[in-house]
Amino acid sequence: MVLATEVVDELYRIRSERGKGFMRRVYLDHAATTAVHPQVLQTMLPYLQDQFGNPSSIYSWGREAKAAIENARAQVAALINADPAEIIFTGSGTEADNTALVGVASALGHKGRHIITSKIEHHAILHTAEDLEQKGFQVTYLPVDGDGLVDPEDLKKALTPETILVSIMFANNEIGTIEPIGQLAQIAKEHGVLFHTDAVQAVGNVPVDVKELGVDLLSLSGHKIYAPKGVGALYVRRGTKIKPFIHGGAQERKFRAGTENVPGIVGLGKAAELARLELPERRAHLIELRDYLIEGVLGSIDHVRLNGHRTCRLPGNANFSFEFVEGESLLLSLDLAGIAASSGSACTSGSLEPSHVLLAIGLPHEIAHGSLRLTLGRENTKEDIDYVLSVLPDIVNRLRAMSPLAPKGGLSCV
Amino acid sequence: MYNEKVMDHFMHPRNVGEIDNPDGVGQVGNPVCGDIMKIFLRIQDGRIEDIKFKTFGCGAAIATSSMVTELVKGKTLDEAMQISNKAVAEALDGLPAPKMHCSNLAADALHAAIEDYKKKQQTSK
């Protein structure tokens, strides 16, 4: 059997051989998505063919599928120290975020119409919050400091008797900063306000314990942790007042209608189990590579800054701003060298504005345009980082030589 | 996303650099929107004898800058003024739709440089 990835590999090989010979390929965009873990794929395959039943059916095919979902629910619950009954499977992390905000707003809108979130949330939260504003809710967007941290004092000041929900992300998808979620959730709790966290980037990468943190709702996504795309989950603490977001059948105890994505859910379950078992090693591996990458870049290129908190950051996240160059040009150049990365420049955000996260941490527009995010994963090696460090300085230098913003006479690499 | 011609001009841009004591300089764009194009001209007998550019921006910004320098080198000023942003994009066999407004400003930079040259000519008369 020829896998699609092998076809792509072959195409890249042919393309690169026409050019400069065999090209190394390094995937450094794990915050965007990850490859399905081989063990996850193996666990999923039966549910695409022999065990294809609808979990709502009463005969054996249905019962087998139902049992598989319940097994996955227990696996996901174990990863975040929840009870299986507190896990609702969704179609994505975005759907989990939408469900949390809209579901709480629907359930508690009669009690109060104020929601608090932050300026650096994922668009799944921000755009949902903006939509709720259109529907008469008031939303406070908390600022962050230069490292991207929310100040708990700001949350205390923003709470009003009208506040029904606080939603602050566990870790930022762009700059990797990890927020003081336990502290923030505690403040919300003291005021009797529900607390949601978008933990899509954190789960599987850092320990997440919903009981210890004291959060009421938590979103996670499959394809960030080596499960397939199209599956996520929302943790809803028992007793939390929330209404369904998607209506229809009685799936997920009438909370999320629609025939379950059984293979996806089984895959998420297996991925969660692997993440739980491998977490300490994965985390140590990523931190080692990340710090090697950060030190290598800061040590070999001038006029560069690390975005996000130096230590309170995701194990696999490195985000830099290179002065005098633009992010898309960096991405194109890296792609030609076989390296997959991401940027917060306007050209890559699909608008004229650079990333809202980089602006929120106080970067001027031109510095925000020159950002580069490299996010590491379980299959990356030190050789991958060495390769990046061997090509990145030349790429930055080439673009700077073309830039009217760079000081005349050029910049020397250290 | 970009075609081969655009990528060729992005990877191997023509006429990058600056001209010492140029006869005309034009700059468009700003750092806020993420694109700045600067064109330097050397004019001889009403023709563009030499042209160089420096650009901060995305792939399209660099490729269009490169292409416009190639299109007008050796041309008369009147001919150069006729070149439009659209013509530059067409010479590159097209740009992705979102790039047509934000990063396709190279002809504007060229025209600004020619205007600068003309203004300098008038003041020196």
Side-chain angles (χ1 to χ4, degrees):
Chain A
M1 187 176 66
V2 178
L3 290 173
T5 52
E6 289 169 0
V7 176
V8 174
D9 278 340
E10 180 65 5
L11 286 173
Y12 259 86
R13 194 184 60 75
I14 293 165
R15 201 184 82 177
S16 55
E17 275 179 2
R18 269 193 279 154
K20 295 174 281 188
F22 186 77
M23 179 171 64
R24 192 186 175 101
R25 289 180 76 206
V26 179
Y27 184 79
L28 292 176
D29 204 14
H30 292 82
T33 195
T34 60
V36 172
H37 191 296
Q39 284 189 50
V40 170
L41 178 64
Q42 286 309 314
T43 313
M44 289 171 65
L45 286 176
Y47 296 93
L48 289 159
Q49 297 207 291
D50 300 341
Q51 287 165 273
F52 65 90
N54 186 323
S56 298
S57 304
I58 60 162
Y59 42 74
S60 62
W61 282 266
R63 293 196 307 272
E64 285 164 9
K66 181 78 181 159
I69 288 180
E70 294 317 313
N71 183 49
R73 201 185 305 284
Q75 289 169 317
V76 172
L79 177 60
I80 59 172
N81 193 26
D83 296 327
E86 295 173 315
I87 302 296
I88 308 289
F89 289 112
T90 64
S92 61
T94 289
E95 188 196 313
D97 282 346
N98 273 256
T99 303
L101 263 61
V102 176
V104 169
S106 305
L108 298 178
H110 64 284
K111 283 197 166 180
R113 300 183 75 76
H114 180 230
I115 292 167
I116 300 171
T117 184
S118 84
K119 287 186 175 174
I120 63 165
E121 298 296 312
H122 189 276
H123 286 127
I125 294 292
L126 287 181
H127 289 167
T128 306
E130 284 162 18
D131 191 56
L132 287 170
E133 281 189 274
Q134 299 280 316
K135 291 173 176 142
F137 284 84
Q138 247 202 324
V139 180
T140 301
Y141 300 91
L142 296 178
V144 292
D145 69 10
D147 289 329
L149 286 170
V150 171
D151 184 346
E153 290 304 313
D154 286 339
L155 174 58
K156 279 185 196 165
K157 284 182 220 148
L159 285 159
T160 76
E162 279 279 302
T163 311
I164 53 168
L165 177 67
V166 176
S167 177
I168 307 288
M169 71 198 326
F170 198 112
N172 185 267
N173 50 308
E174 291 187 39
I175 58 174
T177 298
I178 296 174
E179 302 294 340
I181 292 302
Q183 218 180 331
L184 297 167
Q186 180 62 29
I187 292 167
K189 195 175 191 174
E190 282 163 10
H191 288 77
V193 174
L194 292 180
F195 191 93
H196 166 254
T197 186
D198 171 353
V200 163
Q201 296 288 342
V203 167
N205 286 313
V206 292
V208 175
D209 180 326
V210 290
K211 293 200 171 78
E212 195 183 298
L213 291 166
V215 300
D216 301 294
L217 300 140
L218 177 146
S219 304
L220 63 93
S221 170
H223 73 113
K224 312 291 191 189
I225 58 170
Y226 312 101
K229 295 155 188 70
V231 62
L234 180 65
Y235 157 78
V236 182
R237 188 179 52 78
R238 201 185 302 271
T240 303
K241 294 240 180 333
I242 182 165
K243 282 191 175 170
F245 177 64
I246 291 178
H247 306 278
Q251 292 88 358
E252 296 299 277
R253 297 187 310 285
K254 294 189 185 168
F255 191 78
R256 199 278 187 176
T259 298
E260 298 89 337
N261 169 8
V262 181
I265 289 170
V266 166
L268 173 54
K270 185 65 183 176
E273 184 188 78
L274 291 171
R276 183 170 58 84
L277 297 175
E278 297 174 4
L279 188 67
E281 299 90 76
R282 280 192 198 177
R283 193 175 167 211
H285 170 69
L286 292 178
I287 289 176
E288 190 186 337
L289 292 185
R290 176 197 72 189
D291 290 348
Y292 181 59
L293 172 65
I294 290 174
E295 279 157 30
V297 168
L298 298 183
S300 65
I301 303 176
D302 268 339
H303 291 78
V304 56
R305 56 162 280 153
L306 177 72
N307 297 317
H309 197 281
R310 182 64 190 85
T311 50
C312 296
R313 79 183 298 135
L314 287 171
N317 175 291
N319 187 311
F320 307 98
S321 276
F322 299 94
E323 285 186 58
F324 321 121
V325 298
E326 193 276 337
E328 190 207 270
S329 291
L330 280 172
L331 296 191
L332 287 173
S333 308
L334 286 166
D335 180 41
L336 287 165
I339 299 166
S342 152
S343 168
S345 84
C347 283
T348 53
S349 72
S351 72
L352 291 177
E353 281 283 305
S355 136
H356 64 286
V357 176
L358 299 176
L359 296 180
I361 61 170
L363 294 194
H365 279 69
E366 62 268 37
I367 309 287
H369 284 299
S371 77
L372 177 71
R373 181 187 74 176
L374 301 166
T375 45
L376 315 170
R378 52 184 283 278
E379 77 283 10
N380 287 130
T381 61
K382 186 171 170 291
E383 287 70 38
D384 289 340
I385 308 304
D386 282 329
Y387 177 61
V388 172
L389 294 173
S390 74
V391 299
L392 188 58
D394 287 344
I395 286 172
V396 171
N397 274 347
R398 187 184 89 87
L399 293 170
R400 281 178 175 170
M402 267 190 258
S403 172
L405 299 177
K408 250 189 159 175
L411 293 149
S412 60
C413 274
V414 179
Chain B
M1 163 182 158
Y2 292 126
N3 66 43
E4 278 188 24
K5 204 160 180 181
V6 174
M7 286 308 289
D8 177 44
H9 276 265
F10 170 71
M11 280 313 286
H12 310 286
R14 284 60 146 173
N15 305 305
V16 181
E18 298 188 17
I19 293 174
D20 288 335
N21 303 313
D23 297 317
V25 181
Q27 183 172 315
V28 295
N30 62 66
V32 174
C33 71
D35 280 318
I36 300 177
M37 301 180 187
K38 199 168 182 182
I39 297 258
F40 305 82
L41 294 176
R42 168 85 62 235
I43 309 292
Q44 187 75 46
D45 303 327
R47 281 187 187 273
I48 297 175
E49 189 191 61
D50 197 11
I51 179 167
K52 297 264 187 214
F53 83 87
K54 278 208 161 174
T55 290
F56 162 80
C58 65
I62 289 168
T64 52
S65 305
S66 167
M67 178 51 86
V68 82
T69 64
E70 216 172 41
L71 286 175
V72 303
K73 206 168 183 177
K75 293 262 165 48
T76 67
L77 295 184
D78 286 346
E79 285 167 338
M81 285 304 282
Q82 308 272 315
I83 301 275
S84 64
N85 289 330
K86 195 162 162 270
V88 175
E90 279 165 9
L92 284 165
D93 297 339
L95 289 172
K99 299 288 178 186
M100 287 302 285
H101 0 265
C102 69
S103 307
N104 186 20
L105 302 168
D108 294 349
L110 167 70
H111 299 162
I114 294 173
E115 295 299 340
D116 178 58
Y117 165 73
K118 287 181 176 167
K119 207 163 27 171
K120 280 180 185 159
Q121 289 297 104
Q122 271 169 4
T123 49
S124 66
K125 266 178 195 167

